[in-house]
Amino acid sequence: MKDTRPIANYLTAHRQKRGFSAAELAQRVGIRRQTIYAIESGSYVPNTTVALRLARTLEVHVEDLFALPLDAPAAPLATEQVTLLPDGNASLSQPDTPRAGDPMQLCRVDRRTIASSPSPVPWYLPTADAVLVEAPARTGQAAKGKVQLFHGDYNLAKRVLVAGCDPGISVLARHVLRAGVELVVAQRNSTQALALLKQGVVHVAGTHLRDEASGESNLPAIHRLFGRNRVAVVSLAVWEEGLVLAPGNPKSIHSVADLARRDVGIVNREPGAGSRLLLDTHLDRLGIAGGNVHGYDRLARGHLQAAWQVRTGDADCCIATRAVARVFGLDFIPLASARYDLAVRRQHLDLPPVAALLDTLNRAGFRRELEGLGGYDTSIAGRRLM
C-alpha cells in the first residue's frame, strides 16, 4: 500500500544553519524563492534533481533534508524548573492564580530562572517615532499630515507595515526582528486591512473573511477586490473562533441562541470584522435580529479588547479566538475554524523585509510559539495560496 503521509523535511533548519535566506538558496539551486517556501511548508515535494541540488548546496546528504514519516525524529520540547514571580494582584481578595497553559517570559536573576506571566494588555506608553502636529480632516482615506520627529536616524527601509487584527502578529513581529526587520502593526479588521492594501498604503493585510456561499476563507473577498493577479496570498495559521465567556460560564451560555436572553449582554465587533460577520451569520440562521441582542451595538476594536471586557465583567460574552480566551483565562465554545491569511501586493514580494517576513512563517521556532498560545494550527504557515 502506498504511504500517503507527508514526508518530513528539515530544509529550514539546514538553510538557517548555513545562513542562507530563502531567496539566496533558491538562486543557488536554480529554482524560485516561492518553491523554497512551498518545500519548507510541506505543500510541495521536490523531484530528485532539486533534492540533490539542495543537498549539494547545503553540504548535507539528501536524507538529512528529507525523511519518511517513520524516520522523523521525535524531539520533545525541554522543560525546566522555574520560580514563579508573585502575582501583581496579591493584595486583592481574589488574586489571579497561575494556570497550566499560561504564557511565561523567562529571565535569569542571579542563580534562579524567574518566570513572569506577561499581561495581554499593554500597560505602557506606545512605541512612537514622532507626534502629529498638523492633523487633516477625517476622510476615511489616507491623507496628508505633518509629524514632529523624535530622532533623525530611522531606518525605514527595514520596516514592514502590516494591517490586521490577529493578536498572534505580535509573535511574528518578535521573530522577524531577529532578521533585522521591524513590523509596524496597524490594528484594523479584515475588511479595513484589505481596503488599506487596495489604497497602497500598507505592505501586508491580514484577513479572516469566510465566504458563506463557498465556505472558502479570504480568497473570494480578495478576488472581488483585487482580481486574480495583483496580490499574493500566504497563510499564517488556522484558528478557532467562538463564544468567549466568563470563567465557569456563570450565565450558562451554550450557543448563539442564548445571546438573545435578557440577562445576557455582549460586546460586539465593528462592521467589516470577521468576528462580526461570524456572529451575524449565526444570528441570521436562527432568525434573531441584532436589535434583540443586548450589547449588539456596543463595539470593541479587536479580539483582545473584546475579551478584556468579558474578563472585567463589563460583558458576558464576545466572539473571539480560542487563543485570546486562553490568555485571559476565559471559557470558550467553538463556532468555526478560520484561516488567517496575509495578502501582499506582488511588487512588494521581492522587498528584502517582506521576504524576511514570509521566510519567518516557515521557521519552527515561530510555529512552536504561536501554537503554544493555544488555538492556532500552523501546519499551513507559509503556504502560498495565490
Side-chain angles (χ1 to χ4, degrees):
M1 179 180 292
K2 183 179 180 180
D3 190 348
T4 59
R5 290 174 296 173
I7 293 176
N9 81 74
Y10 310 100
L11 179 58
T12 303
H14 286 284
R15 175 176 60 76
Q16 293 175 351
K17 184 177 180 180
R18 289 299 305 266
F20 291 152
S21 67
E24 183 179 1
L25 179 59
Q27 183 179 17
R28 288 172 178 259
V29 175
I31 58 178
R32 300 174 61 196
R33 171 169 54 87
Q34 288 78 9
T35 303
I36 296 294
Y37 293 147
I39 295 171
E40 293 185 338
S41 67
S43 62
Y44 173 75
V45 177
N47 59 33
T48 303
T49 300
V50 172
L52 289 170
R53 287 176 180 172
L54 287 168
R56 182 174 61 186
T57 302
L58 295 172
E59 299 180 357
V60 296
H61 298 292
V62 171
E63 54 266 36
D64 293 329
L65 297 178
F66 308 101
L68 295 174
L70 292 178
D71 297 332
L77 298 179
T79 60
E80 181 179 345
Q81 291 292 328
V82 299
T83 300
L84 294 174
L85 202 65
D87 188 271
N89 295 322
S91 60
L92 301 180
S93 58
Q94 293 182 329
D96 292 335
T97 300
R99 307 172 307 275
D102 281 357
M104 292 285 167
Q105 287 183 298
L106 304 180
C107 187
R108 182 75 68 180
V109 180
D110 296 328
R111 296 184 178 181
R112 293 187 295 178
T113 301
I114 307 298
S116 174
S117 180
S119 171
V121 181
W123 302 113
Y124 46 79
L125 295 176
T127 302
D129 303 312
V131 292
L132 186 66
V133 294
E134 289 185 9
R138 292 184 177 273
T139 63
Q141 299 289 320
K144 297 291 185 180
K146 182 179 288 187
V147 298
Q148 185 178 60
L149 300 176
F150 296 146
H151 309 285
D153 56 352
Y154 303 120
N155 189 355
L156 300 185
K158 291 188 176 181
R159 288 185 174 182
V160 177
L161 182 52
V162 180
C165 66
D166 177 18
I169 290 293
S170 62
V171 179
L172 180 60
R174 289 195 295 273
H175 285 263
V176 170
L177 193 60
R178 297 172 183 173
V181 175
E182 183 179 359
L183 295 193
V184 178
V185 181
Q187 178 68 32
R188 299 292 189 277
N189 67 45
S190 297
T191 301
Q192 293 168 340
L194 290 175
L196 292 176
L197 189 68
K198 178 78 170 180
Q199 295 176 41
V201 294
V202 299
H203 295 106
V204 180
T207 175
H208 64 112
L209 295 174
R210 187 175 185 273
D211 181 69
E212 286 302 313
S214 64
E216 175 63 71
S217 293
N218 303 316
L219 297 185
I222 293 173
H223 287 157
R224 287 192 295 269
L225 192 61
F226 294 96
R228 291 183 176 271
N229 296 311
R230 297 179 61 188
V231 299
V233 180
V234 181
S235 288
L236 175 68
V238 173
W239 63 17
E240 283 186 292
E241 286 187 286
L243 302 174
V244 175
L245 313 164
N249 193 8
K251 291 292 183 72
S252 296
I253 299 170
H254 301 291
S255 70
V256 172
D258 290 324
L259 304 187
R261 288 168 23 197
R262 292 184 178 182
D263 65 327
V264 173
I266 74 165
V267 57
N268 203 355
R269 291 291 306 283
E270 71 279 11
S275 300
R276 170 72 167 255
L277 296 176
L278 178 61
L279 175 61
D280 287 346
T281 297
H282 279 266
L283 291 177
D284 288 343
R285 290 174 182 171
L286 294 168
I288 300 174
N292 293 331
V293 177
H294 179 59
Y296 182 85
D297 294 324
R298 180 181 180 182
L299 306 181
R301 297 190 177 276
H303 294 271
L304 286 169
Q305 293 181 30
W308 177 249
Q309 294 194 39
V310 177
R311 178 67 176 82
T312 59
D314 290 336
D316 298 312
C317 178
C318 72
I319 304 290
T321 65
R322 179 184 292 275
V324 167
R326 182 173 179 177
V327 165
F328 283 115
L330 301 171
D331 283 13
F332 180 80
I333 298 176
L335 294 177
S337 293
R339 194 180 68 236
Y340 195 89
D341 295 331
L342 302 178
V344 187
R345 284 187 174 271
R346 289 183 181 270
Q347 64 263 36
H348 291 155
L349 286 175
D350 292 326
L351 292 176
V354 174
L357 183 156
L358 297 178
D359 185 45
T360 300
L361 298 176
N362 294 290
R363 295 181 181 176
F366 161 71
R367 293 185 178 195
R368 281 198 301 267
E369 184 174 344
L370 193 59
E371 288 191 348
L373 293 175
Y376 285 95
D377 176 1
T378 64
S379 61
I380 62 167
R383 182 175 300 175
R384 178 79 172 267
L385 301 176
M386 60 175 286

